[in-house]
Amino acid sequence: MQQWLKMTAELVSCRDESKLTAVYLNSVLTHWRLSHCCLLTPSEDGRHLLTCRNQFVSNEQCGRAVTLLDDQGSCQWDVNDFEHPFAHVLQQATTMLLDRSKLAYWQQNQAFTKLASLAKGMDNVLIAPITSATKQVVAIAVLIGEQSITSELLTDQNWSQFSDLFVSQRQLLKDMQHQQTQKAVLNESLSRLKSRQSTSSNGFSPIQQLIGSSSAMESLREQIEVAAKSNLTVLIQGETGVGKELVAKAVHALSDRKDQNFVVINCAAIPENLLESELFGYEKGAFTGAHSSRKGLIAQADGGTLFLDEMGELPLSLQAKLLRVMEAYQYRPLGANQEQTSNFRLIAATHVNLRRSVNEGRFRQDLYYRLYQYPLSVPNLQSRLQDIEELATYFIELHNSRENRHVIGLASSTLDALKQLDYPGNVRELRSLVEYACVHTGSGKYIEQTALPSKKWVAKKEESQSTPETLPHFSGIDLNQVDDLKAALEQIEKQIICERLRQYGGHRAKAAESLGLPKRTLAHKCQKLEIQI
């Protein structure tokens, strides 16, 4: 009993995960008189089981099994490779006791064969899953020893309780570490927010809003600063939801035009017949309904920056006119007799592959080269998953400030879950997930995984490649009570579009294609129906 108390006291006194593992393994090895003891833990992506030098112990007579490990001092097994028994133990959460005859069956996997060769004479190999309170396998113990000892371990309550204590202490250390990390990130983010407020007169500094410490984001910020110092046309390319408009604002804010207008127009959201008048403006009487003159966006951008979002959607008829404006900085409003001048800096953005559009005849080659003076590529979220924690923390801060709440941050399991998702909607999609979770989390608490949207809302990798689900029934509409057909149809149309956008993670091009609509038409309907995704 005294030895047992000493073992448990030593285990719970550990404040370092590596030391905790060493104490656990050495205690098991010594107390149960084993020859070898090894611990396998899942990798971060869940695809492998890993063991390393500090997760393997042997008694003095047997020595350490260094030949099992590679040059980096580790060894791994694929969790889907059923040629070794670990995959079976992990998937079924059951214990396997292998004697000499059973070990002979497992000869296909070279790494396991090396491990099994440590069993000498009549030794058995006991492979036991170590589970959490929720019955999830968090590690696999591989115990090699005499036949009588390993057989008794199957029903030994002390072994079971000692392993449960190890798992509890391990989780406690992980939670403590996560809270310390979260606190540091929050403090750093608060410092950044205070810095933004003190260095920007309106409290908004776009370059600081480009959140992320990954090398891709560091490189992007450096390129933005270089681009801002010139007057070259900037072409921002990137997937939907990566933050192309934020990049454009950062270029403008760092340029010598920062005190002038930053004028935005979404080329995909405005019908083609209105786009020209929006850009160039018009004189009174230029067309039916033009009861007064109106200054166009090109004129409004004089001295500042004109940002053309979704440039790849600009109609061919306007591409030639825009090219002339870019060459001479002169334009003619609809119905006007004289040319007017506007000294603006053009920034364009698109998620479309313009080089392919040129080859397909949907985009003018001369305009493409005129735009391609200073290209900027914004990385998608999938290529910088390490930035998810920092982004999520920032979105939580914004939510707390806006709603006057105090959501502390992400639980470690929630962060792990977010890193496993696919993000066709990129940062915009992540923000939606975090804000949804904030609403379902009480003040003073961490966001748990259960607060995230259900799987129907979350675009996982396998789901993003699948066929969209069958359209749900239309809720809230009693067909027998319809007295305004137009309003009812708009409501149904809005439901269909919203559901399809959710299925594709906010990706408008994919949603439009699935509905048999041009992207421009879908964008116009979203604007008309006030759909925000």
Side-chain angles (χ1 to χ4, degrees):
M1 176 62 70
Q2 207 168 20
Q3 184 186 5
W4 181 253
L5 290 174
K6 182 180 178 182
M7 287 168 53
T8 55
E10 188 177 6
L11 195 67
V12 297
S13 66
C14 291
R15 289 296 178 266
D16 176 77
E17 188 176 345
S18 179
K19 183 180 179 182
L20 177 73
T21 300
V23 169
Y24 169 74
L25 291 174
N26 279 294
S27 298
V28 171
L29 183 82
T30 304
H31 183 76
W32 280 278
R33 304 186 309 282
L34 299 168
S35 58
H36 303 280
C37 190
C38 174
L39 198 67
L40 278 60
T41 52
S43 60
E44 286 189 6
D45 59 11
R47 297 179 180 179
H48 299 92
L49 287 167
L50 308 174
T51 188
C52 56
R53 203 173 299 279
N54 68 343
Q55 292 176 268
F56 191 101
V57 295
S58 301
N59 63 34
E60 293 182 1
Q61 291 75 23
C62 295
R64 292 184 178 274
V66 292
T67 57
L68 174 68
L69 308 177
D70 59 21
D71 294 338
Q72 284 73 44
S74 63
C75 186
Q76 68 177 28
W77 288 269
D78 190 328
V79 298
N80 294 317
D81 181 3
F82 289 93
E83 290 186 350
H84 59 76
F86 303 138
H88 296 266
V89 172
L90 179 67
Q91 300 293 341
Q92 300 172 20
T94 56
T95 301
M96 294 180 69
L97 181 62
L98 306 177
D99 56 21
R100 301 300 298 177
S101 61
K102 291 179 180 177
L103 284 172
Y105 173 78
W106 301 98
Q107 298 295 316
Q108 300 95 327
N109 185 278
Q110 186 177 5
F112 178 75
T113 302
K114 281 186 179 182
L115 181 60
S117 67
L118 298 173
K120 306 299 182 182
M122 298 304 293
D123 284 355
N124 284 353
V125 177
L126 178 64
I127 307 173
I130 298 179
T131 58
S132 64
T134 58
K135 304 304 179 184
Q136 179 183 3
V137 178
V138 296
I140 292 177
V142 183
L143 311 176
I144 301 176
E146 295 178 6
Q147 195 173 49
S148 58
I149 295 174
T150 51
S151 297
E152 290 175 2
L153 276 171
L154 291 172
T155 56
D156 192 327
Q157 289 300 311
N158 287 338
W159 145 255
S160 178
Q161 291 173 8
F162 192 63
S163 295
D164 289 343
L165 182 61
F166 164 69
V167 171
S168 299
Q169 188 68 9
R170 183 169 173 262
Q171 186 58 50
L172 176 62
L173 292 179
K174 284 181 177 292
D175 290 343
M176 290 171 61
Q177 178 62 39
H178 177 71
Q179 288 178 13
Q180 291 174 357
T181 303
Q182 195 77 16
K183 184 178 179 180
V185 171
L186 283 169
N187 288 337
E188 183 182 347
S189 297
L190 286 172
S191 297
R192 285 199 306 270
L193 282 174
K194 290 178 181 177
S195 175
R196 290 176 196 135
Q197 291 171 353
S198 63
T199 57
S200 178
S201 59
N202 59 3
F204 179 79
S205 176
I207 191 69
Q208 297 288 342
Q209 298 281 332
L210 293 168
I211 306 297
S213 302
S214 61
S215 58
M217 290 304 293
E218 292 288 355
S219 175
L220 177 61
R221 283 190 285 268
E222 290 174 3
Q223 293 179 62
I224 288 172
E225 291 179 358
V226 174
K229 295 174 182 177
S230 74
N231 272 310
L232 296 177
T233 297
V234 176
L235 176 62
I236 305 170
Q237 301 172 97
E239 297 177 7
T240 298
V242 294
K244 294 188 290 294
E245 183 171 346
L246 199 55
V247 172
K249 288 180 178 178
V251 173
H252 172 75
L254 294 173
S255 73
D256 55 8
R257 297 173 181 263
K258 61 181 181 295
D259 296 326
Q260 303 300 319
N261 288 339
F262 178 79
V263 180
V264 182
I265 182 169
N266 188 318
C267 300
I270 301 176
E272 183 174 347
N273 60 330
L274 298 179
L275 188 55
E276 183 174 3
S277 60
E278 285 290 317
L279 275 173
F280 297 98
Y282 52 84
E283 295 294 323
K284 180 180 179 180
F287 50 83
T288 303
H291 301 301
S292 61
S293 298
R294 180 177 177 181
K295 185 186 279 190
L297 298 179
I298 291 177
Q300 294 177 36
D302 187 20
T305 301
L306 176 64
F307 175 50
L308 298 182
D309 199 6
E310 297 296 354
M311 182 68 179
E313 303 296 328
L314 191 69
L316 278 168
S317 59
L318 286 181
Q319 290 178 24
K321 295 181 180 180
L322 179 62
L323 178 63
R324 184 176 182 282
V325 175
M326 292 172 64
E327 294 289 354
Y329 291 97
Q330 291 184 332
Y331 67 98
R332 181 176 296 182
L334 298 181
N337 297 320
Q338 294 183 341
E339 298 273 327
Q340 296 185 17
T341 301
S342 178
N343 176 20
F344 62 90
R345 199 264 183 89
L346 180 68
I347 300 178
T350 181
H351 74 280
V352 174
N353 186 323
L354 287 186
R355 180 71 264 179
R356 184 182 304 161
S357 295
V358 169
N359 294 337
E360 294 173 354
R362 292 183 289 107
F363 202 86
R364 292 178 62 101
Q365 187 176 45
D366 47 7
L367 179 58
Y368 170 75
Y369 288 120
R370 185 64 179 78
L371 291 172
Y372 208 78
Q373 290 186 347
Y374 199 106
L376 288 175
S377 181
V378 186
N380 61 19
L381 186 56
Q382 203 64 41
S383 66
R384 56 184 189 105
L385 293 177
Q386 68 196 81
D387 290 335
I388 284 182
E389 183 170 11
E390 196 173 347
L391 284 163
T393 300
Y394 176 69
F395 295 145
I396 292 169
E397 290 172 1
L398 292 181
H399 171 83
N400 287 339
S401 176
R402 184 177 65 247
E403 303 295 334
N404 194 25
R405 302 183 70 230
H406 181 56
V407 176
I408 299 177
L410 297 175
S412 56
S413 60
T414 311
L415 177 61
D416 291 340
L418 289 174
K419 288 184 177 180
Q420 295 300 317
L421 300 178
D422 191 15
Y423 290 94
N426 289 289
V427 178
R428 184 185 296 129
E429 181 180 356
L430 174 65
R431 178 170 184 169
S432 296
L433 290 175
V434 172
E435 289 183 340
Y436 178 94
C438 283
V439 172
H440 291 81
T441 301
S443 286
K445 294 184 178 180
Y446 285 93
I447 295 176
E448 300 295 339
Q449 190 173 347
T450 53
L452 293 174
S454 64
K455 289 183 179 180
K456 178 181 176 183
W457 286 53
V458 176
K460 291 190 176 181
K461 291 180 181 177
E462 62 270 22
E463 293 172 342
S464 66
Q465 301 297 325
S466 62
T467 304
E469 299 174 4
T470 303
L471 191 68
H473 68 281
F474 301 118
S475 57
I477 300 178
D478 185 346
L479 300 182
N480 294 320
Q481 299 298 320
V482 171
D483 56 7
D484 187 334
L485 181 59
K486 182 179 179 182
L489 290 175
E490 284 186 351
Q491 185 177 349
I492 293 173
E493 187 176 29
K494 184 173 183 177
Q495 269 190 264
I496 294 173
I497 293 174
C498 287
E499 181 62 27
R500 194 59 56 90
L501 284 167
R502 290 192 188 104
Q503 289 176 2
Y504 286 101
H507 197 295
R508 288 192 177 186
K510 291 181 179 179
E513 183 180 358
S514 72
L515 291 170
L517 295 173
K519 185 185 173 185
R520 181 187 303 280
T521 302
L522 180 64
H524 179 56
K525 287 181 179 292
C526 288
Q527 186 180 43
K528 176 184 175 183
L529 299 171
E530 299 181 346
I531 297 173
Q532 299 292 330
I533 295 294

Short mmCIF file of all heavy atoms in Angstrom, two decimals, residues 192-205 208:
data_model
loop_
_atom_site.label_atom_id
_atom_site.label_comp_id
_atom_site.label_asym_id
_atom_site.label_seq_id
_atom_site.Cartn_x
_atom_site.Cartn_y
_atom_site.Cartn_z
N ARG A 192 -2.27 44.53 -29.30
CA ARG A 192 -2.35 44.95 -30.70
C ARG A 192 -3.54 45.89 -30.91
O ARG A 192 -3.44 46.87 -31.64
CB ARG A 192 -2.49 43.72 -31.61
CG ARG A 192 -1.21 42.95 -31.80
CD ARG A 192 -1.31 42.07 -33.04
NE ARG A 192 -2.47 41.22 -33.01
CZ ARG A 192 -2.50 40.00 -32.50
NH1 ARG A 192 -1.40 39.49 -31.96
NH2 ARG A 192 -3.59 39.27 -32.52
N LEU A 193 -4.69 45.57 -30.28
CA LEU A 193 -5.86 46.42 -30.43
C LEU A 193 -5.59 47.82 -29.88
O LEU A 193 -5.97 48.83 -30.48
CB LEU A 193 -7.05 45.79 -29.71
CG LEU A 193 -7.75 44.64 -30.42
CD1 LEU A 193 -8.81 44.03 -29.51
CD2 LEU A 193 -8.38 45.10 -31.73
N LYS A 194 -4.94 47.88 -28.70
CA LYS A 194 -4.62 49.19 -28.12
C LYS A 194 -3.66 49.95 -29.01
O LYS A 194 -3.77 51.17 -29.16
CB LYS A 194 -4.02 48.99 -26.73
CG LYS A 194 -5.02 48.49 -25.69
CD LYS A 194 -4.35 48.27 -24.35
CE LYS A 194 -5.35 47.74 -23.34
NZ LYS A 194 -4.69 47.45 -22.03
N SER A 195 -2.71 49.21 -29.61
CA SER A 195 -1.74 49.85 -30.50
C SER A 195 -2.43 50.41 -31.72
O SER A 195 -2.13 51.51 -32.17
CB SER A 195 -0.67 48.83 -30.90
OG SER A 195 0.20 49.38 -31.85
N ARG A 196 -3.40 49.66 -32.25
CA ARG A 196 -4.14 50.14 -33.43
C ARG A 196 -4.90 51.42 -33.11
O ARG A 196 -4.95 52.37 -33.88
CB ARG A 196 -5.12 49.08 -33.91
CG ARG A 196 -4.46 47.87 -34.52
CD ARG A 196 -5.53 46.84 -34.88
NE ARG A 196 -4.91 45.55 -35.11
CZ ARG A 196 -5.36 44.40 -34.65
NH1 ARG A 196 -6.44 44.38 -33.90
NH2 ARG A 196 -4.75 43.27 -34.92
N GLN A 197 -5.53 51.43 -31.93
CA GLN A 197 -6.34 52.58 -31.55
C GLN A 197 -5.48 53.82 -31.33
O GLN A 197 -5.92 54.94 -31.57
CB GLN A 197 -7.12 52.25 -30.28
CG GLN A 197 -8.20 51.20 -30.53
CD GLN A 197 -8.83 50.71 -29.24
OE1 GLN A 197 -8.38 51.04 -28.16
NE2 GLN A 197 -9.88 49.91 -29.36
N SER A 198 -4.25 53.63 -30.87
CA SER A 198 -3.38 54.77 -30.60
C SER A 198 -2.67 55.28 -31.85
O SER A 198 -2.25 56.43 -31.90
CB SER A 198 -2.35 54.40 -29.54
OG SER A 198 -1.51 53.37 -30.01
N THR A 199 -2.51 54.41 -32.86
CA THR A 199 -1.78 54.82 -34.06
C THR A 199 -2.69 55.17 -35.22
O THR A 199 -2.23 55.66 -36.24
CB THR A 199 -0.84 53.68 -34.52
OG1 THR A 199 -1.62 52.50 -34.75
CG2 THR A 199 0.22 53.39 -33.47
N SER A 200 -3.97 54.92 -35.08
CA SER A 200 -4.91 55.23 -36.16
C SER A 200 -6.01 56.14 -35.63
O SER A 200 -6.63 55.86 -34.62
CB SER A 200 -5.52 53.93 -36.72
OG SER A 200 -6.45 54.21 -37.73
N SER A 201 -6.25 57.23 -36.31
CA SER A 201 -7.21 58.22 -35.81
C SER A 201 -8.62 57.67 -35.73
O SER A 201 -9.40 58.08 -34.89
CB SER A 201 -7.20 59.45 -36.72
OG SER A 201 -7.52 59.09 -38.05
N ASN A 202 -8.98 56.73 -36.61
CA ASN A 202 -10.32 56.17 -36.56
C ASN A 202 -10.34 54.78 -35.94
O ASN A 202 -11.35 54.07 -36.01
CB ASN A 202 -10.94 56.09 -37.97
CG ASN A 202 -10.09 55.25 -38.91
OD1 ASN A 202 -9.08 54.67 -38.51
ND2 ASN A 202 -10.51 55.18 -40.16
N GLY A 203 -9.24 54.36 -35.34
CA GLY A 203 -9.20 53.07 -34.66
C GLY A 203 -9.13 51.89 -35.61
O GLY A 203 -9.30 50.76 -35.19
N PHE A 204 -8.87 52.13 -36.89
CA PHE A 204 -8.87 51.04 -37.86
C PHE A 204 -7.61 51.12 -38.72
O PHE A 204 -7.39 52.10 -39.41
CB PHE A 204 -10.10 51.13 -38.76
CG PHE A 204 -10.15 50.05 -39.79
CD1 PHE A 204 -10.57 48.78 -39.46
CD2 PHE A 204 -9.78 50.30 -41.11
CE1 PHE A 204 -10.63 47.78 -40.42
CE2 PHE A 204 -9.83 49.31 -42.07
CZ PHE A 204 -10.25 48.05 -41.72
N SER A 205 -6.76 50.12 -38.63
CA SER A 205 -5.54 50.06 -39.41
C SER A 205 -5.56 48.75 -40.19
O SER A 205 -5.29 47.69 -39.63
CB SER A 205 -4.32 50.11 -38.49
OG SER A 205 -3.14 49.96 -39.24
N GLN A 208 -2.90 46.05 -39.91
CA GLN A 208 -2.92 45.35 -38.63
C GLN A 208 -4.07 44.34 -38.56
O GLN A 208 -4.04 43.41 -37.75
CB GLN A 208 -3.05 46.35 -37.48
CG GLN A 208 -1.90 47.33 -37.36
CD GLN A 208 -0.64 46.68 -36.83
OE1 GLN A 208 -0.70 45.60 -36.26
NE2 GLN A 208 0.50 47.32 -37.03
#
